[in-house]
Amino acid sequence: MINLELPKKLRASANQAHQVAQEIFRPISRKYDLAEHEYPVELDTMAAMVEGLADSGTQKIGGAAGGRSDDSDSDRHATELLGNTNGGNMSALLNALETSWGDVGLMLSIPYQGLGNAAIAAVATDEQLKRFGKVWASMAITEPSFGSDSAAVSTTAVLDGDEWVLNGEKIFVTAGQRSTHIVVWATVDKSLGRAAIKSFVVPRDAPGLSVARLEHKLGIKASDTAVLLLQDCRIPKDNILGSPEVNVEKGFAGVMQTFDNTRPLVAAMAIGVARAALEELRSILTGAGVEISYDTPANNQHAAAAEFLRMEADYEAAYLLALRAAWMADNKKPNSLEASMSKAKAGRTGTDVTLKAVELAGAIGYSQRTLLEKWGRDSKILDIFEGTQQIQQLIVARRILGKTSAELK
């Protein structure tokens, strides 16, 4: 049974992440929002700090590298209050939340903390974990011909002797230019459908890999978003993650397991941004003489106060859903339903809270005097990537109704 009191080790790690967010991210947040595609040099210090903490056994500051640990005695002891078998997902979720409270674009730019690291943690073999344990991996799934339908991957991977040869185009790759490695989704046999889709670790210097362009975006401007071309790109045979065998009965489940780890993390990002907006809004409302009471019925309070209470309740619900999804992952319980529920709720809550905060703050909220308008722009992507709001609701419906993807589209 889940215990909502976090163990001391996770609280300490989350507090470290919060300090980073407050002391490093917040002061430079506006700077890199206005300087899109400029590399945040301050993150080099972050990288050294993360590396040092990792080597000392302390949890990582960033969020995306969570997922699997060695389940050592110290790990079990540190997370026994939650009942976790290792606590890696829970720790990653809390750290993602805290750093995103500072700046979600900068959080996505932390070296060696890419979304591809979560994919490696989810499906890599023990040998691959040793080889790729300290890389900075972005994740390349989306293509020009599809968005949310991950099974429609058309990038191909053909085995040629001791190498895989990859061909295709990937778009909207977060940290696609800066990362040291790319986790690429490709099909090894189009005739076998989604079961033949595998993920491959492609080094940045692999022959045939190139960056076609960087996207200009609405938000998360501190993070680079790239279009990647794979033209007869060659990688070693053992860079295919997990088993190279195509199991038609198991189908797409192995690759999709990645999302069960990463969706709660993206939910945490949205929750972190929402919390930042709520705190700023409370300060503005209090300064304007609007009292927010937890003892008086909402309908007897100022309209802005009533709206604040509604948003805060949504925030709490999103937070608890994300905690549950991460807790289930750490306890090796199937969490596909809960991961999608947390992502759907947090994505919707993030956009609702940040945009409503802009509205309730009036001219201050719409101006650049605070970060409210920036958080409104940043939050939208968190309702889109790692599966859109609509896709999450579809997955939830399939799980609850017991329908397959062919039966419920």
Side-chain angles (χ1 to χ4, degrees):
M1 184 174 181
I2 188 171
N3 182 336
L4 297 179
E5 181 181 354
L6 299 175
K8 289 182 179 179
K9 184 174 181 179
L10 294 190
R11 289 203 301 270
S13 174
N15 182 61
Q16 287 178 329
H18 184 78
Q19 293 303 312
V20 166
Q22 186 173 47
E23 302 300 329
I24 299 178
F25 286 7
R26 280 286 180 93
I28 63 174
S29 184
R30 180 65 71 185
K31 172 184 175 181
Y32 288 105
D33 181 57
L34 297 173
E36 188 171 15
H37 299 158
E38 183 178 329
Y39 178 68
V41 293
E42 293 86 350
L43 295 185
D44 289 338
T45 303
M46 269 295 313
M49 183 186 301
V50 169
E51 183 70 16
L53 290 173
D55 290 342
S56 68
T58 305
Q59 294 288 347
K60 294 186 177 182
I61 290 294
R68 202 159 88 184
S69 77
D70 60 6
D71 195 22
S72 65
D73 288 341
S74 60
D75 286 329
R76 285 196 296 271
H77 176 70
T79 55
E80 61 186 1
L81 286 178
L82 277 169
N84 294 353
T85 56
N86 57 54
N89 285 281
M90 185 70 77
S91 176
L93 183 145
L94 293 171
N95 292 342
L97 190 159
E98 293 296 344
T99 47
S100 296
W101 173 90
D103 187 287
V104 70
L106 291 169
M107 178 270 172
L108 289 168
S109 301
I110 299 175
Y112 307 103
Q113 302 288 292
L115 289 171
N117 292 91
I120 293 171
V123 299
T125 64
D126 290 339
E127 184 276 331
Q128 289 172 333
L129 282 175
K130 291 179 181 178
R131 279 198 294 136
F132 301 128
K134 292 190 176 182
V135 304
W136 180 3
S138 53
M139 191 146 62
I141 303 174
T142 307
E143 299 177 2
S145 60
F146 79 89
S148 296
D149 184 8
S150 300
V153 167
S154 62
T155 296
T156 59
V158 177
L159 192 59
D160 181 20
D162 291 332
E163 294 181 317
W164 288 100
V165 182
L166 279 65
N167 280 282
E169 179 181 356
K170 295 294 184 179
I171 61 176
F172 301 127
V173 181
T174 301
Q177 182 184 51
R178 299 171 185 166
S179 60
T180 64
H181 291 68
I182 319 290
V183 175
V184 176
W185 287 28
T187 177
V188 297
D189 188 341
K190 286 186 177 182
S191 67
L192 295 179
R194 60 174 58 198
I197 295 174
K198 301 287 184 177
S199 49
F200 302 81
V201 180
V202 181
R204 163 67 53 207
D205 58 359
L209 172 65
S210 62
V211 176
R213 70 174 184 275
L214 296 178
E215 300 288 357
H216 293 277
K217 308 183 298 296
L218 173 71
I220 60 167
K221 294 189 176 186
S223 171
D224 65 306
T225 303
V227 174
L228 301 180
L229 296 181
L230 299 138
Q231 299 167 305
D232 292 330
C233 178
R234 290 182 171 270
I235 60 173
K237 180 180 179 179
D238 56 0
N239 277 28
I240 182 171
L241 286 178
S243 171
E245 302 299 323
V246 176
N247 187 332
V248 177
E249 292 183 2
K250 187 178 180 181
F252 203 30
V255 176
M256 289 300 288
Q257 181 184 349
T258 297
F259 285 133
D260 296 341
N261 280 10
T262 58
R263 281 172 175 160
L265 295 181
V266 177
M269 296 176 203
I271 293 164
V273 178
R275 194 183 81 193
L278 284 172
E279 290 175 0
E280 184 69 29
L281 177 61
R282 178 190 284 273
S283 175
I284 292 171
L285 292 178
T286 301
V290 176
E291 181 182 353
I292 300 170
S293 171
Y294 295 96
D295 299 319
T296 306
N299 62 321
N300 288 337
Q301 296 189 53
H302 192 287
E307 192 70 354
F308 182 92
L309 291 172
R310 177 193 67 80
M311 293 189 294
E312 193 173 57
D314 273 345
Y315 158 81
E316 292 285 353
Y319 173 68
L320 293 176
L321 281 170
L323 277 188
R324 177 166 178 78
W327 176 86
M328 292 180 71
D330 280 332
N331 283 275
K332 294 180 169 51
K333 297 177 181 290
N335 74 331
S336 179
L337 170 63
E338 289 77 11
S340 286
M341 289 173 68
S342 69
K343 171 68 168 64
K345 177 64 176 177
R348 187 167 62 242
T349 298
T351 56
D352 173 49
V353 166
T354 55
L355 291 177
K356 181 60 71 171
V358 168
E359 177 186 329
L360 293 177
I364 294 176
Y366 197 71
S367 73
Q368 292 187 359
R369 290 165 60 186
T370 70
L371 292 170
L372 281 175
E373 60 82 27
K374 177 186 181 299
W375 294 332
R377 289 184 285 110
D378 287 346
S379 65
K380 188 56 190 175
I381 190 60
L382 304 175
D383 197 28
I384 297 174
F385 69 8
E386 297 295 291
T388 65
Q389 176 72 212
Q390 293 76 15
I391 287 296
Q392 304 309 326
Q393 292 186 34
L394 186 58
I395 293 171
V396 170
R398 287 171 183 163
R399 296 292 185 271
I400 291 176
L401 299 175
K403 301 288 186 180
T404 65
S405 57
E407 293 172 324
L408 186 58
K409 297 182 179 180

